[in-house]
Amino acid sequence: MRRRRAAVAAGFCASFLLGSVLNVLFAPGSEPPRPGQSPGPSPAPGPGRRGDRGELARQIRARYEEVQRYSRGGPAPGAGRPERRRLMDLAPGGPGLQRPRPPRARPLPDGAPGWPPAPGPGSPGLGPRLGCAALRNVTGAQYVGSGYTKAVYRVRLPGGAAVALKAVDFSGHDLGSCVREFGARRGCYRLAAHKLLKEMVLLERLRHPNVLQLYGYCYQDSEDIPDTLTTITELGAPVEMIQLLQTSWEDRFRICLSLGRLLHHLAHSPLGSVTLLDFRPRQFVLVDGELKVTDLDDARVEETPCASSADCILEFPARNFTLPCSAQGWCEGMNEKRNLYNAYRFFFTYLLPHSAPPSLRPLLDSVVNATGELTWGVDETLAQLEKVLHLYRSGQYLQNSTAGSRAEYQSLPERTIPQEDYRCWPSYHHGSCLLSVFNLAEAVDICESHAQCRAFVVTNQTTWTGRQLVFFKTGWSQVVPDPSKTTYVKASG
């Protein structure tokens, strides 16, 4: 398996290094065949073919039209005036652009749209974008993982920045099952690639601090498939729930707050209320401590149609919910509520309450219970999470803590204790007790609550909320100079 992944990664990079040098600023423009236009030749079906070309073409057109729906509409927040640019060739040895060459539109049989597809009249423009030229000399290619449709690689650009590359997985289940059914490799690639194109459009139109950034994309011939699509995105770390449970409450709360802000944005997006049909931790990544959604090919904007509330049953493994059917014939808030309950069962219930400051736990329990019962919507959920942030960042949660200390501490400016550590949980450092505090009084309270604590060292490092990081120590037998720290030792007596 490791050898196969290395070979795939090497072949992936080779396709960029050996391929033609392209500079793609926006999706190349090619239109679907006009009515009555000859669809052109199609790949011959393989021996294992069970479906027909008409069914494959129907599926491609359905995905094509879905992408076009998401491309049209008002521009996303912050987008400039939409533009449509063509695929251009970059001179191999020089900085100038040659005369633009129209992209090769390859129609599919039986009325399927051509490839590469047109971006649509509402495709938001944001530049400059990274294109194929940026991938000429990438280094350090690493296979990150793959899912049903896509494979993800990590590469380093010539300037040193690390980015993620996404492409259709030629060994993946999606492409493989299609080829087995229809025997049309190129047509099946285009069917799968429209999911990647849909994700690219949604990343652009749903721009938000908790949506992965799209840096660019590239159409380039690869293997026996012309015009394969690769997207270039921000690089994040996978969400590992076991590791998150071992981190500080402050960092876990940040993830839940990020998720609350994301769900609020999706519920009020420029496209309407967006639901994530595949809502699991693996669909998200962490970028500098912030949670961001990365996989949007299974997102849906349309609400569920209904004739009565019997058509509006929201089903989950543990329980179901019945939502009202509106007078307009749509299940009210189903997209929003699906996202919210998934946030509860995958994130909130595990990350929010455990090891939280005692005075904040009642409010956090309310958030968990209300999202678990769907008695709140995303607006109220986010409002309560923002309230928790305010109480925590301002120190107001300390009003019910112990007033005053049971011992006096002597200050030793510009001094630190290099050893005499002990472990506590949760800690920012696995080999020592490193916690964040709002002020000196909270540091004293924490030291007094730990039986082994005899001293603590205040650093000049802060967390994302502005709280200072403090090491708690079992003693102070060795104190050394350090201009960036202040040590406090428990007075004898």
Side-chain angles (χ1 to χ4, degrees):
M1 178 62 70
R2 184 177 301 173
R3 186 177 303 166
R4 186 185 78 84
R5 291 178 177 176
V8 172
F12 185 82
C13 287
S15 69
F16 290 115
L17 299 176
L18 301 178
S20 60
V21 181
L22 304 173
N23 179 23
V24 181
L25 297 179
F26 288 84
S30 63
E31 303 295 342
R34 295 182 178 87
Q37 180 179 351
S38 173
S42 64
R49 172 179 174 270
R50 292 189 303 272
D52 57 43
R53 288 177 294 176
E55 172 60 21
L56 177 59
R58 186 197 66 78
Q59 293 183 25
I60 293 174
R61 175 161 291 281
R63 289 190 182 176
Y64 170 84
E65 290 173 351
E66 182 184 30
V67 171
Q68 290 298 299
R69 287 198 306 272
Y70 296 148
S71 297
R72 291 189 292 264
R81 183 175 179 178
E83 297 183 45
R84 296 179 65 183
R85 302 187 182 183
R86 310 288 280 187
L87 185 66
M88 297 183 178
D89 287 340
L90 188 64
L97 289 173
Q98 296 178 338
R99 190 172 69 179
R101 181 188 67 181
R104 295 163 292 178
R106 293 178 171 85
L108 289 178
D110 303 317
W115 183 267
S123 298
L126 184 68
R129 284 244 176 254
L130 295 179
C132 297
L135 304 180
R136 291 180 60 186
N137 298 305
V138 296
T139 58
Q142 296 178 4
Y143 172 83
V144 175
S146 58
Y148 191 81
T149 304
K150 304 183 295 289
V152 183
Y153 302 85
R154 170 195 172 111
V155 300
R156 193 167 294 277
L157 299 180
V163 298
L165 303 182
K166 286 187 179 183
V168 172
D169 187 357
F170 285 96
S171 301
H173 182 277
D174 204 358
L175 185 62
S177 62
C178 176
V179 172
R180 285 191 297 272
E181 180 175 359
F182 297 105
R185 183 173 167 83
R186 291 188 181 183
C188 287
Y189 170 82
R190 290 163 191 168
L191 180 66
H194 271 89
K195 295 183 70 174
L196 184 61
L197 185 63
K198 170 188 172 181
E199 179 176 274
M200 184 177 75
V201 169
L202 289 178
L203 287 176
E204 181 70 10
R205 297 200 54 76
L206 297 175
R207 288 198 301 273
H208 183 267
N210 298 112
V211 174
L212 201 71
Q213 291 188 60
L214 175 69
Y215 291 151
Y217 45 91
C218 170
Y219 283 109
Q220 183 165 312
D221 294 351
S222 178
E223 297 188 11
D224 60 332
I225 307 295
D227 294 321
T228 62
L229 172 62
T230 299
T231 60
I232 311 168
T233 69
E234 187 176 19
L235 181 67
V239 174
E240 302 288 351
M241 293 302 294
I242 299 299
Q243 295 179 8
L244 290 181
L245 292 174
Q246 302 174 39
T247 61
S248 69
W249 175 82
E250 187 174 343
D251 284 349
R252 285 184 276 119
F253 173 71
R254 184 182 189 183
I255 291 171
C256 294
L257 179 63
S258 299
L259 185 54
R261 290 170 173 171
L262 170 65
L263 298 191
H264 182 271
H265 173 65
L266 294 180
H268 304 283
S269 84
L271 299 174
S273 182
V274 179
T275 191
L276 305 178
L277 296 178
D278 190 2
F279 194 119
R280 291 173 293 170
R282 64 178 297 177
Q283 314 304 118
F284 300 85
V285 294
L286 291 174
V287 180
D288 297 328
E290 285 280 333
L291 187 74
K292 300 194 176 191
V293 63
T294 177
D295 200 332
L296 290 172
D297 58 352
D298 288 315
R300 189 181 72 188
V301 174
E302 296 82 10
E303 291 281 10
T304 302
C306 60
S308 68
S309 60
D311 300 322
C312 300
I313 299 177
L314 196 54
E315 298 181 344
F316 295 98
R319 62 177 304 181
N320 298 334
F321 299 89
T322 301
L323 303 180
C325 179
S326 70
Q328 291 75 32
W330 301 99
C331 296
E332 291 186 4
M334 180 167 279
N335 285 353
E336 173 184 333
K337 293 297 179 70
R338 177 183 288 108
N339 288 343
L340 198 56
Y341 189 79
N342 279 324
Y344 155 79
R345 69 189 186 109
F346 285 116
F347 289 93
F348 293 167
T349 188
Y350 298 110
L351 303 182
L352 264 184
H354 308 296
S355 70
S359 61
L360 294 177
R361 286 176 191 167
L363 184 53
L364 294 170
D365 288 339
S366 297
V367 173
V368 173
N369 294 334
T371 53
E373 296 295 328
L374 290 184
T375 55
W376 289 352
V378 294
D379 294 353
E380 181 62 23
T381 301
L382 178 59
Q384 296 302 316
L385 291 173
E386 296 285 4
K387 180 180 179 180
V388 172
L389 175 63
H390 172 71
L391 294 174
Y392 188 67
R393 177 177 275 166
S394 65
Q396 294 182 34
Y397 75 100
L398 293 171
Q399 290 178 353
N400 295 329
S401 63
T402 305
S405 63
R406 295 188 294 270
E408 293 185 358
Y409 287 77
Q410 179 184 352
S411 172
L412 303 177
E414 299 185 353
R415 295 289 189 273
T416 188
I417 304 171
Q419 299 179 356
E420 302 183 73
D421 290 304
Y422 65 93
R423 293 183 179 181
C424 64
W425 186 86
S427 171
Y428 283 93
H429 191 278
H430 294 300
S432 61
C433 186
L434 178 61
L435 304 175
S436 71
V437 302
F438 174 73
N439 55 20
L440 187 59
E442 185 177 13
V444 170
D445 284 343
I446 292 175
C447 190
E448 289 294 296
S449 68
H450 293 180
Q452 63 269 59
C453 182
R454 296 293 181 272
F456 57 87
V457 179
V458 179
T459 73
N460 63 355
Q461 295 177 301
T462 58
T463 66
W464 66 279
T465 60
R467 294 162 57 89
Q468 283 186 289
L469 290 175
V470 176
F471 286 97
F472 293 88
K473 305 284 185 172
T474 60
W476 62 94
S477 60
Q478 183 184 10
V479 179
V480 299
D482 189 329
S484 65
K485 298 180 176 67
T486 300
T487 294
Y488 292 84
V489 300
K490 188 177 293 187
S492 60

PDB file of all heavy atoms in Angstrom, residues 42-60:
ATOM      1  N   SER A  42     -17.528   8.942 -28.944  1.00  0.00           N
ATOM      2  CA  SER A  42     -17.423   8.603 -27.538  1.00  0.00           C
ATOM      3  C   SER A  42     -16.494   7.423 -27.380  1.00  0.00           C
ATOM      4  O   SER A  42     -16.296   6.641 -28.307  1.00  0.00           O
ATOM      5  CB  SER A  42     -18.798   8.253 -26.959  1.00  0.00           C
ATOM      6  OG  SER A  42     -19.293   7.094 -27.606  1.00  0.00           O
ATOM      7  N   PRO A  43     -15.896   7.280 -26.191  1.00  0.00           N
ATOM      8  CA  PRO A  43     -15.023   6.139 -25.964  1.00  0.00           C
ATOM      9  C   PRO A  43     -15.794   4.834 -26.080  1.00  0.00           C
ATOM     10  O   PRO A  43     -16.959   4.727 -25.716  1.00  0.00           O
ATOM     11  CB  PRO A  43     -14.517   6.365 -24.526  1.00  0.00           C
ATOM     12  CG  PRO A  43     -14.783   7.818 -24.242  1.00  0.00           C
ATOM     13  CD  PRO A  43     -15.982   8.173 -25.048  1.00  0.00           C
ATOM     14  N   ALA A  44     -15.120   3.828 -26.597  1.00  0.00           N
ATOM     15  CA  ALA A  44     -15.769   2.530 -26.748  1.00  0.00           C
ATOM     16  C   ALA A  44     -15.987   1.898 -25.388  1.00  0.00           C
ATOM     17  O   ALA A  44     -15.127   1.981 -24.523  1.00  0.00           O
ATOM     18  CB  ALA A  44     -14.910   1.621 -27.622  1.00  0.00           C
ATOM     19  N   PRO A  45     -17.132   1.281 -25.184  1.00  0.00           N
ATOM     20  CA  PRO A  45     -17.385   0.654 -23.896  1.00  0.00           C
ATOM     21  C   PRO A  45     -16.508  -0.565 -23.701  1.00  0.00           C
ATOM     22  O   PRO A  45     -16.152  -1.253 -24.652  1.00  0.00           O
ATOM     23  CB  PRO A  45     -18.859   0.271 -23.967  1.00  0.00           C
ATOM     24  CG  PRO A  45     -19.134   0.135 -25.428  1.00  0.00           C
ATOM     25  CD  PRO A  45     -18.268   1.123 -26.117  1.00  0.00           C
ATOM     26  N   GLY A  46     -16.157  -0.833 -22.446  1.00  0.00           N
ATOM     27  CA  GLY A  46     -15.334  -1.993 -22.115  1.00  0.00           C
ATOM     28  C   GLY A  46     -16.185  -3.238 -22.016  1.00  0.00           C
ATOM     29  O   GLY A  46     -17.408  -3.207 -22.098  1.00  0.00           O
ATOM     30  N   PRO A  47     -15.514  -4.356 -21.839  1.00  0.00           N
ATOM     31  CA  PRO A  47     -16.238  -5.624 -21.810  1.00  0.00           C
ATOM     32  C   PRO A  47     -17.164  -5.763 -20.620  1.00  0.00           C
ATOM     33  O   PRO A  47     -18.115  -6.535 -20.672  1.00  0.00           O
ATOM     34  CB  PRO A  47     -15.104  -6.666 -21.742  1.00  0.00           C
ATOM     35  CG  PRO A  47     -13.919  -5.907 -21.200  1.00  0.00           C
ATOM     36  CD  PRO A  47     -14.067  -4.524 -21.724  1.00  0.00           C
ATOM     37  N   GLY A  48     -16.885  -5.027 -19.501  1.00  0.00           N
ATOM     38  CA  GLY A  48     -17.725  -5.184 -18.324  1.00  0.00           C
ATOM     39  C   GLY A  48     -18.890  -4.225 -18.285  1.00  0.00           C
ATOM     40  O   GLY A  48     -19.535  -4.078 -17.258  1.00  0.00           O
ATOM     41  N   ARG A  49     -19.182  -3.588 -19.422  1.00  0.00           N
ATOM     42  CA  ARG A  49     -20.198  -2.551 -19.445  1.00  0.00           C
ATOM     43  C   ARG A  49     -21.590  -3.140 -19.254  1.00  0.00           C
ATOM     44  O   ARG A  49     -21.972  -4.079 -19.923  1.00  0.00           O
ATOM     45  CB  ARG A  49     -20.108  -1.819 -20.784  1.00  0.00           C
ATOM     46  CG  ARG A  49     -21.214  -0.821 -21.056  1.00  0.00           C
ATOM     47  CD  ARG A  49     -20.964  -0.178 -22.410  1.00  0.00           C
ATOM     48  NE  ARG A  49     -22.033   0.687 -22.799  1.00  0.00           N
ATOM     49  CZ  ARG A  49     -23.095   0.290 -23.488  1.00  0.00           C
ATOM     50  NH1 ARG A  49     -23.202  -0.980 -23.819  1.00  0.00           N
ATOM     51  NH2 ARG A  49     -24.028   1.145 -23.836  1.00  0.00           N
ATOM     52  N   ARG A  50     -22.353  -2.523 -18.313  1.00  0.00           N
ATOM     53  CA  ARG A  50     -23.734  -2.953 -18.094  1.00  0.00           C
ATOM     54  C   ARG A  50     -24.726  -1.829 -18.399  1.00  0.00           C
ATOM     55  O   ARG A  50     -25.829  -2.082 -18.816  1.00  0.00           O
ATOM     56  CB  ARG A  50     -23.918  -3.419 -16.647  1.00  0.00           C
ATOM     57  CG  ARG A  50     -23.175  -4.693 -16.333  1.00  0.00           C
ATOM     58  CD  ARG A  50     -23.576  -5.222 -14.970  1.00  0.00           C
ATOM     59  NE  ARG A  50     -23.352  -4.259 -13.916  1.00  0.00           N
ATOM     60  CZ  ARG A  50     -22.190  -4.140 -13.266  1.00  0.00           C
ATOM     61  NH1 ARG A  50     -21.166  -4.917 -13.587  1.00  0.00           N
ATOM     62  NH2 ARG A  50     -22.055  -3.260 -12.289  1.00  0.00           N
ATOM     63  N   GLY A  51     -24.297  -0.553 -18.130  1.00  0.00           N
ATOM     64  CA  GLY A  51     -25.183   0.566 -18.401  1.00  0.00           C
ATOM     65  C   GLY A  51     -25.080   0.997 -19.857  1.00  0.00           C
ATOM     66  O   GLY A  51     -24.342   0.430 -20.651  1.00  0.00           O
ATOM     67  N   ASP A  52     -25.833   2.038 -20.231  1.00  0.00           N
ATOM     68  CA  ASP A  52     -25.734   2.550 -21.581  1.00  0.00           C
ATOM     69  C   ASP A  52     -25.199   3.967 -21.547  1.00  0.00           C
ATOM     70  O   ASP A  52     -25.179   4.624 -20.519  1.00  0.00           O
ATOM     71  CB  ASP A  52     -27.077   2.475 -22.305  1.00  0.00           C
ATOM     72  CG  ASP A  52     -28.175   3.229 -21.569  1.00  0.00           C
ATOM     73  OD1 ASP A  52     -27.908   4.351 -21.082  1.00  0.00           O
ATOM     74  OD2 ASP A  52     -29.287   2.701 -21.462  1.00  0.00           O
ATOM     75  N   ARG A  53     -24.772   4.426 -22.731  1.00  0.00           N
ATOM     76  CA  ARG A  53     -24.159   5.750 -22.817  1.00  0.00           C
ATOM     77  C   ARG A  53     -25.153   6.853 -22.502  1.00  0.00           C
ATOM     78  O   ARG A  53     -24.789   7.902 -21.995  1.00  0.00           O
ATOM     79  CB  ARG A  53     -23.556   5.941 -24.204  1.00  0.00           C
ATOM     80  CG  ARG A  53     -22.300   5.110 -24.441  1.00  0.00           C
ATOM     81  CD  ARG A  53     -21.792   5.270 -25.849  1.00  0.00           C
ATOM     82  NE  ARG A  53     -22.723   4.708 -26.830  1.00  0.00           N
ATOM     83  CZ  ARG A  53     -22.562   4.782 -28.145  1.00  0.00           C
ATOM     84  NH1 ARG A  53     -21.511   5.397 -28.636  1.00  0.00           N
ATOM     85  NH2 ARG A  53     -23.452   4.231 -28.954  1.00  0.00           N
ATOM     86  N   GLY A  54     -26.422   6.607 -22.817  1.00  0.00           N
ATOM     87  CA  GLY A  54     -27.425   7.626 -22.526  1.00  0.00           C
ATOM     88  C   GLY A  54     -27.573   7.877 -21.038  1.00  0.00           C
ATOM     89  O   GLY A  54     -27.736   9.019 -20.606  1.00  0.00           O
ATOM     90  N   GLU A  55     -27.507   6.839 -20.228  1.00  0.00           N
ATOM     91  CA  GLU A  55     -27.618   7.002 -18.778  1.00  0.00           C
ATOM     92  C   GLU A  55     -26.397   7.736 -18.223  1.00  0.00           C
ATOM     93  O   GLU A  55     -26.517   8.598 -17.357  1.00  0.00           O
ATOM     94  CB  GLU A  55     -27.769   5.634 -18.110  1.00  0.00           C
ATOM     95  CG  GLU A  55     -27.711   5.651 -16.585  1.00  0.00           C
ATOM     96  CD  GLU A  55     -28.795   6.515 -15.954  1.00  0.00           C
ATOM     97  OE1 GLU A  55     -29.819   6.781 -16.626  1.00  0.00           O
ATOM     98  OE2 GLU A  55     -28.615   6.918 -14.788  1.00  0.00           O
ATOM     99  N   LEU A  56     -25.213   7.402 -18.717  1.00  0.00           N
ATOM    100  CA  LEU A  56     -24.007   8.107 -18.276  1.00  0.00           C
ATOM    101  C   LEU A  56     -24.086   9.582 -18.646  1.00  0.00           C
ATOM    102  O   LEU A  56     -23.780  10.465 -17.835  1.00  0.00           O
ATOM    103  CB  LEU A  56     -22.773   7.462 -18.897  1.00  0.00           C
ATOM    104  CG  LEU A  56     -21.430   8.142 -18.590  1.00  0.00           C
ATOM    105  CD1 LEU A  56     -21.171   8.187 -17.087  1.00  0.00           C
ATOM    106  CD2 LEU A  56     -20.293   7.428 -19.312  1.00  0.00           C
ATOM    107  N   ALA A  57     -24.536   9.860 -19.868  1.00  0.00           N
ATOM    108  CA  ALA A  57     -24.672  11.250 -20.294  1.00  0.00           C
ATOM    109  C   ALA A  57     -25.697  11.994 -19.434  1.00  0.00           C
ATOM    110  O   ALA A  57     -25.512  13.175 -19.112  1.00  0.00           O
ATOM    111  CB  ALA A  57     -25.072  11.307 -21.765  1.00  0.00           C
ATOM    112  N   ARG A  58     -26.782  11.303 -19.061  1.00  0.00           N
ATOM    113  CA  ARG A  58     -27.787  11.940 -18.218  1.00  0.00           C
ATOM    114  C   ARG A  58     -27.203  12.320 -16.863  1.00  0.00           C
ATOM    115  O   ARG A  58     -27.458  13.408 -16.347  1.00  0.00           O
ATOM    116  CB  ARG A  58     -28.983  10.998 -18.035  1.00  0.00           C
ATOM    117  CG  ARG A  58     -30.154  11.625 -17.292  1.00  0.00           C
ATOM    118  CD  ARG A  58     -31.112  10.570 -16.788  1.00  0.00           C
ATOM    119  NE  ARG A  58     -30.496   9.737 -15.765  1.00  0.00           N
ATOM    120  CZ  ARG A  58     -30.330  10.127 -14.494  1.00  0.00           C
ATOM    121  NH1 ARG A  58     -30.726  11.324 -14.105  1.00  0.00           N
ATOM    122  NH2 ARG A  58     -29.769   9.314 -13.622  1.00  0.00           N
ATOM    123  N   GLN A  59     -26.412  11.424 -16.286  1.00  0.00           N
ATOM    124  CA  GLN A  59     -25.804  11.717 -14.987  1.00  0.00           C
ATOM    125  C   GLN A  59     -24.801  12.867 -15.077  1.00  0.00           C
ATOM    126  O   GLN A  59     -24.734  13.718 -14.186  1.00  0.00           O
ATOM    127  CB  GLN A  59     -25.121  10.459 -14.449  1.00  0.00           C
ATOM    128  CG  GLN A  59     -26.082   9.337 -14.093  1.00  0.00           C
ATOM    129  CD  GLN A  59     -25.367   8.142 -13.503  1.00  0.00           C
ATOM    130  OE1 GLN A  59     -24.281   8.265 -12.945  1.00  0.00           O
ATOM    131  NE2 GLN A  59     -25.974   6.958 -13.630  1.00  0.00           N
ATOM    132  N   ILE A  60     -24.024  12.890 -16.166  1.00  0.00           N
ATOM    133  CA  ILE A  60     -23.067  13.984 -16.346  1.00  0.00           C
ATOM    134  C   ILE A  60     -23.800  15.309 -16.477  1.00  0.00           C
ATOM    135  O   ILE A  60     -23.424  16.317 -15.882  1.00  0.00           O
ATOM    136  CB  ILE A  60     -22.176  13.720 -17.573  1.00  0.00           C
ATOM    137  CG1 ILE A  60     -21.277  12.500 -17.314  1.00  0.00           C
ATOM    138  CG2 ILE A  60     -21.336  14.936 -17.905  1.00  0.00           C
ATOM    139  CD1 ILE A  60     -20.476  12.072 -18.523  1.00  0.00           C
TER     140      ILE A  60
END
